[in-house]
Amino acid sequence: MKRLLTYLKPHRWMMFVSSVLVIALIGVELYKPIIIGNAIDNYIGTFGQPGALGADEAFSGICRAGALYALMLLLGFVFNASNTWILQNVGQSVIYKMREEVFAHILSLSVNFFNTQPVGKLVTRVSNDTEAVNELFSQILAKLFKNSVKILGFAVVMLSIDLRMALYSFILIPFVTGLTFFFRYLSRKAYRMTRTRITELNTFLSEHLSGMKLIQIFAREEEKFEEFSEKSEQLFRANWREVLTFAVFRPSIYMLSVFAMVIVIGQGSASVLAGTLSLGTLFVFINYISSFFEPIQELAEQFGTLQSSLASAEKIFTILDEKPEIVNPKHPRTVAINGRIEFRHVWFAYEKEEYILKDVSFCIEPGEKIAFVGATGAGKSSILNLIGRYYDVQRGEILIDGVNIKEIDKNALRRAIGQVQQDVFLFTGDIKGNISLGNEDIPRAEIERAAHIVNADSFIDRMPNGFDEPVTERGSTLSAGQRQLLSFARTLAYQPAILVLDEATANIDTETERLITQALGKLMEGRTTIMVAHRLSTIQHADKIIVMHKGEIRESGTHQELLQLGGMYRKLYDLQLVEG
């Protein structure tokens, strides 16, 4: 709660005004019954008695009381409307900031974090949980303050009017208090369970909607529906427990308020008949006792909602407290990246001591074309991840143009590296937006030029809207080859000094591969190029080929040199000839 309240600091004056409005509103609500009670005692209850006011004077007094009551109604409306506007404005402003803070922090987290966190869980944190916290700022805190002051105000006024009647009114307070604490305990458990079940359902939906094609390929629709039905039923039961808790609590508080009303009417009527209590005062107490239990009920319910908001805030803060594994240096060095890459005795492991790379050293000069080959798990892709500093090495160092990459601003480093991966990700939008990734600094002419160089315009020009053609989520309406060509155009549009090709032609048909092969020469020209490929035919033109095996460099040389060496590369080459 203390951490949440720090978000209110920029709005502290608005919250102060809101508090004043709440106190004023409660004052109005407390005063309204007194106006009617006084009218009863002064103008109605004494009418016709000796020494009482005449009909005209009594009617005039009642009209004045009515006008004063109407004024209180108007003031109450103004105070309530103003307070609601302030609280909603503050709540939306706080949640807007929190939502941006959460997503900005998620963007700063390292790749390894996303390897272990379900997408649906993160979506829930940014959307559902922030909305739950919004309710805390826009409603719960204000209502907690309002109802607390309201209960205190009722108690003080009732005690000041008639001590004996006030004590009769408070007889059932211990029972209400006990019931309230019991309800808080049950509602807290119910709210937490509901939030957990919502997260689980969102995670399931996010994962299985993304993998729907695979589900249909293996005809697992019925089984997945049963899993969904089970999780949906768990959420239903959690919501039902929450509803049942409220269904028992609200009538219980209402019954206690009825009993309190019976006590007040019974004792008050006896006092009126005995002449020790005025009829107007009895009306005030009846009105107060009917309103006294309402804020108590709301307080108990708001404590439950408060628990839900705090549970959501706890989950949000868990994300915000996640520290990025890759951090920028405090004083990054400015480097004009030309493309010289050097690994010096690099040891790297994704998990402790389970080294993927073992004492790897090599040097790539600017403009060189280097290829890495080897069996799956040999460490080829890990080298590419380390060059872009998506992970940090445990031992050794990696240098770009003679500077350790840990001393270079990571964003500047990654902007200098253009990476084409085997699995191309396209965003919802259009063709040009997926090439530029929304970077307005890249003019349309440059986008079209990049597409032309990599031969992507061969299919873009055939589309009805050309570069403005809509792209659906993950580019589902495009073929694998077309998505790959767009990935090449995207990389070229950013003009990187270093080009990384990670199995870039693995999903390409023969015709598309021919188009890409024509473009690769232009794409690689003047750039340090690092390639990873299983098909050796695609890397024979490389200046140097490095053979990896179990995280170590076993061989290094040109295609012809490695063939003549007759080692691991030769075996891989002969094996592919046989398979071909």
Side-chain angles (χ1 to χ4, degrees), residues 301-345:
E301 294 176 359
Q302 286 153 11
F303 275 122
T305 309
L306 175 64
Q307 292 295 334
S308 174
S309 298
L310 291 178
S312 295
E314 185 179 6
K315 295 177 186 296
I316 290 171
F317 291 145
T318 300
I319 298 294
L320 291 175
D321 290 338
E322 192 75 35
K323 302 297 182 184
E325 295 178 10
I326 310 300
V327 295
N328 261 335
K330 291 184 178 179
H331 304 289
R333 293 179 58 179
T334 303
V335 181
I337 297 177
N338 295 314
R340 187 179 189 276
I341 303 171
E342 184 178 359
F343 274 50
R344 290 182 181 174
H345 305 291

Tab-separated table of all heavy atoms in Angstrom, residues 301-345:
chain	number	residue	atom	x	y	z
A	301	GLU	N	-17.148	-4.797	2.338
A	301	GLU	CA	-17.044	-5.176	0.934
A	301	GLU	C	-15.829	-4.523	0.282
A	301	GLU	O	-15.148	-5.137	-0.551
A	301	GLU	CB	-18.324	-4.782	0.198
A	301	GLU	CG	-19.548	-5.569	0.669
A	301	GLU	CD	-20.828	-5.110	0.002
A	301	GLU	OE1	-20.760	-4.168	-0.820
A	301	GLU	OE2	-21.885	-5.682	0.283
A	302	GLN	N	-15.570	-3.273	0.673
A	302	GLN	CA	-14.420	-2.576	0.090
A	302	GLN	C	-13.101	-3.161	0.565
A	302	GLN	O	-12.119	-3.150	-0.172
A	302	GLN	CB	-14.498	-1.087	0.430
A	302	GLN	CG	-15.563	-0.358	-0.375
A	302	GLN	CD	-16.108	0.864	0.324
A	302	GLN	OE1	-15.568	1.311	1.341
A	302	GLN	NE2	-17.199	1.399	-0.182
A	303	PHE	N	-13.080	-3.710	1.776
A	303	PHE	CA	-11.869	-4.381	2.231
A	303	PHE	C	-11.581	-5.593	1.346
A	303	PHE	O	-10.431	-5.906	1.065
A	303	PHE	CB	-12.007	-4.810	3.697
A	303	PHE	CG	-11.650	-3.735	4.670
A	303	PHE	CD1	-12.559	-3.293	5.620
A	303	PHE	CD2	-10.386	-3.156	4.647
A	303	PHE	CE1	-12.226	-2.299	6.525
A	303	PHE	CE2	-10.047	-2.147	5.553
A	303	PHE	CZ	-10.969	-1.718	6.487
A	304	GLY	N	-12.648	-6.270	0.920
A	304	GLY	CA	-12.452	-7.403	0.011
A	304	GLY	C	-11.904	-6.953	-1.331
A	304	GLY	O	-10.962	-7.537	-1.863
A	305	THR	N	-12.513	-5.882	-1.879
A	305	THR	CA	-12.025	-5.343	-3.148
A	305	THR	C	-10.616	-4.789	-2.991
A	305	THR	O	-9.791	-4.894	-3.901
A	305	THR	CB	-12.966	-4.225	-3.651
A	305	THR	OG1	-14.304	-4.699	-3.637
A	305	THR	CG2	-12.603	-3.812	-5.072
A	306	LEU	N	-10.349	-4.201	-1.816
A	306	LEU	CA	-9.002	-3.708	-1.533
A	306	LEU	C	-7.996	-4.849	-1.589
A	306	LEU	O	-6.900	-4.702	-2.145
A	306	LEU	CB	-8.978	-3.040	-0.161
A	306	LEU	CG	-7.610	-2.555	0.351
A	306	LEU	CD1	-7.070	-1.458	-0.551
A	306	LEU	CD2	-7.717	-2.065	1.785
A	307	GLN	N	-8.371	-6.000	-1.032
A	307	GLN	CA	-7.489	-7.164	-1.077
A	307	GLN	C	-7.236	-7.579	-2.523
A	307	GLN	O	-6.121	-7.939	-2.901
A	307	GLN	CB	-8.110	-8.334	-0.303
A	307	GLN	CG	-8.189	-8.112	1.183
A	307	GLN	CD	-6.829	-8.011	1.831
A	307	GLN	OE1	-5.849	-8.549	1.330
A	307	GLN	NE2	-6.748	-7.303	2.940
A	308	SER	N	-8.278	-7.527	-3.365
A	308	SER	CA	-8.116	-7.876	-4.781
A	308	SER	C	-7.160	-6.908	-5.470
A	308	SER	O	-6.277	-7.311	-6.233
A	308	SER	CB	-9.477	-7.847	-5.487
A	308	SER	OG	-9.334	-8.047	-6.867
A	309	SER	N	-7.343	-5.605	-5.185
A	309	SER	CA	-6.468	-4.598	-5.798
A	309	SER	C	-5.033	-4.761	-5.327
A	309	SER	O	-4.087	-4.642	-6.111
A	309	SER	CB	-6.977	-3.195	-5.465
A	309	SER	OG	-8.264	-2.983	-5.997
A	310	LEU	N	-4.868	-5.048	-4.034
A	310	LEU	CA	-3.515	-5.229	-3.500
A	310	LEU	C	-2.871	-6.491	-4.057
A	310	LEU	O	-1.664	-6.528	-4.304
A	310	LEU	CB	-3.558	-5.279	-1.972
A	310	LEU	CG	-3.923	-3.975	-1.266
A	310	LEU	CD1	-3.986	-4.177	0.234
A	310	LEU	CD2	-2.916	-2.875	-1.604
A	311	ALA	N	-3.700	-7.536	-4.264
A	311	ALA	CA	-3.160	-8.762	-4.867
A	311	ALA	C	-2.688	-8.480	-6.290
A	311	ALA	O	-1.621	-8.943	-6.717
A	311	ALA	CB	-4.224	-9.851	-4.855
A	312	SER	N	-3.475	-7.695	-7.035
A	312	SER	CA	-3.072	-7.325	-8.400
A	312	SER	C	-1.831	-6.444	-8.367
A	312	SER	O	-0.917	-6.607	-9.188
A	312	SER	CB	-4.216	-6.581	-9.105
A	312	SER	OG	-5.321	-7.432	-9.287
A	313	ALA	N	-1.785	-5.504	-7.422
A	313	ALA	CA	-0.611	-4.634	-7.306
A	313	ALA	C	0.633	-5.449	-6.978
A	313	ALA	O	1.724	-5.185	-7.504
A	313	ALA	CB	-0.845	-3.580	-6.229
A	314	GLU	N	0.452	-6.449	-6.127
A	314	GLU	CA	1.583	-7.313	-5.764
A	314	GLU	C	2.138	-8.020	-6.995
A	314	GLU	O	3.349	-8.133	-7.181
A	314	GLU	CB	1.125	-8.333	-4.724
A	314	GLU	CG	2.245	-9.207	-4.180
A	314	GLU	CD	1.753	-10.189	-3.134
A	314	GLU	OE1	0.530	-10.263	-2.914
A	314	GLU	OE2	2.602	-10.873	-2.545
A	315	LYS	N	1.228	-8.486	-7.848
A	315	LYS	CA	1.654	-9.167	-9.077
A	315	LYS	C	2.348	-8.185	-10.022
A	315	LYS	O	3.328	-8.528	-10.685
A	315	LYS	CB	0.442	-9.816	-9.756
A	315	LYS	CG	-0.186	-10.942	-8.942
A	315	LYS	CD	-1.422	-11.488	-9.623
A	315	LYS	CE	-2.137	-12.507	-8.740
A	315	LYS	NZ	-1.335	-13.705	-8.472
A	316	ILE	N	1.838	-6.950	-10.094
A	316	ILE	CA	2.460	-5.928	-10.943
A	316	ILE	C	3.857	-5.598	-10.431
A	316	ILE	O	4.822	-5.506	-11.198
A	316	ILE	CB	1.583	-4.661	-10.990
A	316	ILE	CG1	0.295	-4.938	-11.775
A	316	ILE	CG2	2.339	-3.489	-11.615
A	316	ILE	CD1	-0.718	-3.815	-11.698
A	317	PHE	N	3.975	-5.421	-9.122
A	317	PHE	CA	5.276	-5.071	-8.544
A	317	PHE	C	6.279	-6.220	-8.686
A	317	PHE	O	7.490	-5.989	-8.718
A	317	PHE	CB	5.121	-4.676	-7.081
A	317	PHE	CG	4.391	-3.371	-6.889
A	317	PHE	CD1	3.551	-3.174	-5.798
A	317	PHE	CD2	4.526	-2.342	-7.802
A	317	PHE	CE1	2.878	-1.976	-5.621
A	317	PHE	CE2	3.855	-1.141	-7.644
A	317	PHE	CZ	3.039	-0.961	-6.547
A	318	THR	N	5.763	-7.448	-8.752
A	318	THR	CA	6.657	-8.587	-9.001
A	318	THR	C	7.346	-8.434	-10.355
A	318	THR	O	8.539	-8.723	-10.494
A	318	THR	CB	5.865	-9.905	-8.963
A	318	THR	OG1	5.262	-10.050	-7.685
A	318	THR	CG2	6.779	-11.094	-9.224
A	319	ILE	N	6.582	-7.951	-11.345
A	319	ILE	CA	7.165	-7.698	-12.671
A	319	ILE	C	8.121	-6.507	-12.607
A	319	ILE	O	9.241	-6.556	-13.122
A	319	ILE	CB	6.056	-7.436	-13.714
A	319	ILE	CG1	5.150	-8.661	-13.872
A	319	ILE	CG2	6.671	-7.049	-15.064
A	319	ILE	CD1	5.824	-9.869	-14.461
A	320	LEU	N	7.682	-5.420	-11.944
A	320	LEU	CA	8.519	-4.215	-11.871
A	320	LEU	C	9.808	-4.455	-11.094
A	320	LEU	O	10.812	-3.768	-11.331
A	320	LEU	CB	7.732	-3.069	-11.231
A	320	LEU	CG	6.580	-2.491	-12.057
A	320	LEU	CD1	5.821	-1.443	-11.253
A	320	LEU	CD2	7.092	-1.883	-13.355
A	321	ASP	N	9.775	-5.418	-10.172
A	321	ASP	CA	10.970	-5.715	-9.379
A	321	ASP	C	11.918	-6.684	-10.089
A	321	ASP	O	13.004	-6.961	-9.582
A	321	ASP	CB	10.578	-6.308	-8.020
A	321	ASP	CG	9.921	-5.271	-7.118
A	321	ASP	OD1	10.146	-4.074	-7.365
A	321	ASP	OD2	9.185	-5.655	-6.198
A	322	GLU	N	11.459	-7.198	-11.223
A	322	GLU	CA	12.326	-8.091	-12.009
A	322	GLU	C	13.464	-7.258	-12.604
A	322	GLU	O	13.234	-6.286	-13.320
A	322	GLU	CB	11.507	-8.743	-13.132
A	322	GLU	CG	12.195	-9.890	-13.820
A	322	GLU	CD	12.225	-11.147	-12.983
A	322	GLU	OE1	11.265	-11.406	-12.241
A	322	GLU	OE2	13.239	-11.869	-13.087
A	323	LYS	N	14.679	-7.633	-12.291
A	323	LYS	CA	15.831	-6.868	-12.751
A	323	LYS	C	16.313	-7.362	-14.119
A	323	LYS	O	16.444	-8.566	-14.328
A	323	LYS	CB	16.988	-6.973	-11.750
A	323	LYS	CG	16.641	-6.495	-10.347
A	323	LYS	CD	16.277	-5.023	-10.326
A	323	LYS	CE	15.993	-4.551	-8.908
A	323	LYS	NZ	15.548	-3.134	-8.880
A	324	PRO	N	16.562	-6.437	-15.054
A	324	PRO	CA	17.121	-6.852	-16.346
A	324	PRO	C	18.502	-7.474	-16.149
A	324	PRO	O	19.327	-6.952	-15.383
A	324	PRO	CB	17.217	-5.539	-17.142
A	324	PRO	CG	16.341	-4.573	-16.426
A	324	PRO	CD	16.331	-4.982	-14.992
A	325	GLU	N	18.718	-8.588	-16.804
A	325	GLU	CA	20.031	-9.222	-16.709
A	325	GLU	C	21.070	-8.434	-17.500
A	325	GLU	O	22.251	-8.417	-17.152
A	325	GLU	CB	19.953	-10.662	-17.233
A	325	GLU	CG	19.061	-11.570	-16.389
A	325	GLU	CD	18.963	-12.960	-16.964
A	325	GLU	OE1	19.731	-13.281	-17.901
A	325	GLU	OE2	18.120	-13.750	-16.488
A	326	ILE	N	20.619	-7.812	-18.582
A	326	ILE	CA	21.535	-7.021	-19.423
A	326	ILE	C	21.271	-5.546	-19.153
A	326	ILE	O	20.191	-5.028	-19.448
A	326	ILE	CB	21.313	-7.330	-20.924
A	326	ILE	CG1	21.320	-8.839	-21.175
A	326	ILE	CG2	22.356	-6.623	-21.758
A	326	ILE	CD1	22.605	-9.524	-20.781
A	327	VAL	N	22.233	-4.868	-18.557
A	327	VAL	CA	22.065	-3.456	-18.222
A	327	VAL	C	23.088	-2.613	-18.978
A	327	VAL	O	24.192	-3.071	-19.287
A	327	VAL	CB	22.229	-3.223	-16.704
A	327	VAL	CG1	21.116	-3.914	-15.940
A	327	VAL	CG2	23.575	-3.727	-16.210
A	328	ASN	N	22.696	-1.405	-19.264
A	328	ASN	CA	23.599	-0.487	-19.948
A	328	ASN	C	24.685	0.013	-18.988
A	328	ASN	O	24.429	0.181	-17.794
A	328	ASN	CB	22.816	0.719	-20.475
A	328	ASN	CG	22.484	0.580	-21.948
A	328	ASN	OD1	23.164	-0.118	-22.677
A	328	ASN	ND2	21.430	1.255	-22.369
A	329	PRO	N	25.880	0.249	-19.499
A	329	PRO	CA	26.915	0.844	-18.651
A	329	PRO	C	26.511	2.256	-18.255
A	329	PRO	O	25.787	2.938	-18.991
A	329	PRO	CB	28.152	0.850	-19.560
A	329	PRO	CG	27.619	0.802	-20.954
A	329	PRO	CD	26.353	0.004	-20.881
A	330	LYS	N	26.958	2.699	-17.082
A	330	LYS	CA	26.611	4.050	-16.620
A	330	LYS	C	27.185	5.117	-17.544
A	330	LYS	O	26.567	6.153	-17.776
A	330	LYS	CB	27.133	4.253	-15.195
A	330	LYS	CG	26.409	3.417	-14.155
A	330	LYS	CD	26.916	3.733	-12.755
A	330	LYS	CE	26.174	2.934	-11.705
A	330	LYS	NZ	26.660	3.203	-10.323
A	331	HIS	N	28.381	4.854	-18.061
A	331	HIS	CA	29.017	5.805	-18.976
A	331	HIS	C	29.438	5.053	-20.241
A	331	HIS	O	30.608	4.675	-20.396
A	331	HIS	CB	30.223	6.466	-18.307
A	331	HIS	CG	29.900	7.136	-17.007
A	331	HIS	ND1	29.171	8.303	-16.935
A	331	HIS	CD2	30.178	6.784	-15.722
A	331	HIS	CE1	29.032	8.657	-15.675
A	331	HIS	NE2	29.629	7.754	-14.911
A	332	PRO	N	28.481	4.801	-21.152
A	332	PRO	CA	28.805	4.020	-22.351
A	332	PRO	C	29.803	4.737	-23.260
A	332	PRO	O	29.797	5.979	-23.347
A	332	PRO	CB	27.446	3.862	-23.040
A	332	PRO	CG	26.611	4.980	-22.531
A	332	PRO	CD	27.082	5.239	-21.137
A	333	ARG	N	30.622	3.944	-23.900
A	333	ARG	CA	31.602	4.505	-24.833
A	333	ARG	C	30.982	4.638	-26.218
A	333	ARG	O	30.244	3.775	-26.677
A	333	ARG	CB	32.836	3.600	-24.909
A	333	ARG	CG	33.633	3.568	-23.619
A	333	ARG	CD	34.828	2.643	-23.722
A	333	ARG	NE	35.732	3.025	-24.799
A	333	ARG	CZ	36.857	2.380	-25.088
A	333	ARG	NH1	37.216	1.318	-24.370
A	333	ARG	NH2	37.635	2.778	-26.089
A	334	THR	N	31.252	5.732	-26.847
A	334	THR	CA	30.757	5.961	-28.197
A	334	THR	C	31.693	5.291	-29.203
A	334	THR	O	32.892	5.565	-29.222
A	334	THR	CB	30.668	7.463	-28.497
A	334	THR	OG1	29.827	8.089	-27.517
A	334	THR	CG2	30.098	7.701	-29.885
A	335	VAL	N	31.142	4.401	-29.999
A	335	VAL	CA	31.952	3.632	-30.944
A	335	VAL	C	31.311	3.713	-32.325
A	335	VAL	O	30.116	3.453	-32.485
A	335	VAL	CB	32.062	2.146	-30.521
A	335	VAL	CG1	32.921	1.371	-31.505
A	335	VAL	CG2	32.627	2.039	-29.116
A	336	ALA	N	32.093	4.095	-33.311
A	336	ALA	CA	31.634	4.044	-34.698
A	336	ALA	C	31.849	2.613	-35.183
A	336	ALA	O	32.959	2.220	-35.535
A	336	ALA	CB	32.417	5.033	-35.557
A	337	ILE	N	30.781	1.821	-35.145
A	337	ILE	CA	30.914	0.383	-35.393
A	337	ILE	C	31.176	0.111	-36.870
A	337	ILE	O	30.355	0.436	-37.743
A	337	ILE	CB	29.651	-0.351	-34.905
A	337	ILE	CG1	29.523	-0.175	-33.389
A	337	ILE	CG2	29.712	-1.837	-35.270
A	337	ILE	CD1	28.290	-0.790	-32.785
A	338	ASN	N	32.367	-0.484	-37.136
A	338	ASN	CA	32.745	-0.850	-38.500
A	338	ASN	C	32.549	-2.341	-38.773
A	338	ASN	O	32.477	-2.762	-39.926
A	338	ASN	CB	34.214	-0.485	-38.753
A	338	ASN	CG	34.435	1.020	-38.690
A	338	ASN	OD1	33.663	1.782	-39.273
A	338	ASN	ND2	35.467	1.454	-37.968
A	339	GLY	N	32.507	-3.142	-37.694
A	339	GLY	CA	32.202	-4.555	-37.905
A	339	GLY	C	33.306	-5.531	-37.540
A	339	GLY	O	33.238	-6.701	-37.923
A	340	ARG	N	34.323	-5.092	-36.804
A	340	ARG	CA	35.352	-6.044	-36.370
A	340	ARG	C	34.866	-6.718	-35.079
A	340	ARG	O	34.569	-6.056	-34.090
A	340	ARG	CB	36.677	-5.341	-36.113
A	340	ARG	CG	37.831	-6.312	-35.831
A	340	ARG	CD	39.139	-5.556	-35.608
A	340	ARG	NE	40.275	-6.478	-35.548
A	340	ARG	CZ	40.662	-7.140	-34.448
A	340	ARG	NH1	39.976	-6.974	-33.319
A	340	ARG	NH2	41.681	-7.962	-34.468
A	341	ILE	N	34.792	-8.040	-35.095
A	341	ILE	CA	34.257	-8.805	-33.971
A	341	ILE	C	35.327	-9.766	-33.471
A	341	ILE	O	35.945	-10.486	-34.266
A	341	ILE	CB	32.998	-9.591	-34.384
A	341	ILE	CG1	31.940	-8.647	-34.951
A	341	ILE	CG2	32.447	-10.389	-33.210
A	341	ILE	CD1	30.769	-9.356	-35.582
A	342	GLU	N	35.523	-9.758	-32.158
A	342	GLU	CA	36.538	-10.649	-31.589
A	342	GLU	C	35.995	-11.322	-30.322
A	342	GLU	O	35.472	-10.656	-29.429
A	342	GLU	CB	37.812	-9.873	-31.251
A	342	GLU	CG	38.935	-10.770	-30.753
A	342	GLU	CD	40.215	-10.012	-30.459
A	342	GLU	OE1	40.228	-8.774	-30.666
A	342	GLU	OE2	41.200	-10.641	-30.028
A	343	PHE	N	36.098	-12.641	-30.292
A	343	PHE	CA	35.786	-13.422	-29.090
A	343	PHE	C	37.105	-13.812	-28.442
A	343	PHE	O	37.981	-14.407	-29.084
A	343	PHE	CB	35.015	-14.695	-29.455
A	343	PHE	CG	33.519	-14.500	-29.566
A	343	PHE	CD1	32.986	-13.477	-30.332
A	343	PHE	CD2	32.651	-15.352	-28.911
A	343	PHE	CE1	31.619	-13.303	-30.448
A	343	PHE	CE2	31.279	-15.183	-29.006
A	343	PHE	CZ	30.754	-14.156	-29.775
A	344	ARG	N	37.250	-13.521	-27.151
A	344	ARG	CA	38.466	-13.874	-26.425
A	344	ARG	C	38.132	-14.834	-25.284
A	344	ARG	O	37.562	-14.439	-24.270
A	344	ARG	CB	39.135	-12.619	-25.861
A	344	ARG	CG	39.758	-11.709	-26.907
A	344	ARG	CD	40.432	-10.525	-26.234
A	344	ARG	NE	41.025	-9.612	-27.213
A	344	ARG	CZ	41.576	-8.436	-26.897
A	344	ARG	NH1	41.600	-8.050	-25.621
A	344	ARG	NH2	42.087	-7.651	-27.833
A	345	HIS	N	38.444	-16.095	-25.465
A	345	HIS	CA	38.284	-17.119	-24.431
A	345	HIS	C	36.914	-17.031	-23.762
A	345	HIS	O	36.797	-16.926	-22.539
A	345	HIS	CB	39.392	-16.976	-23.379
A	345	HIS	CG	40.779	-17.004	-23.960
A	345	HIS	ND1	41.334	-18.140	-24.504
A	345	HIS	CD2	41.700	-16.007	-24.115
A	345	HIS	CE1	42.552	-17.862	-24.942
A	345	HIS	NE2	42.795	-16.568	-24.741
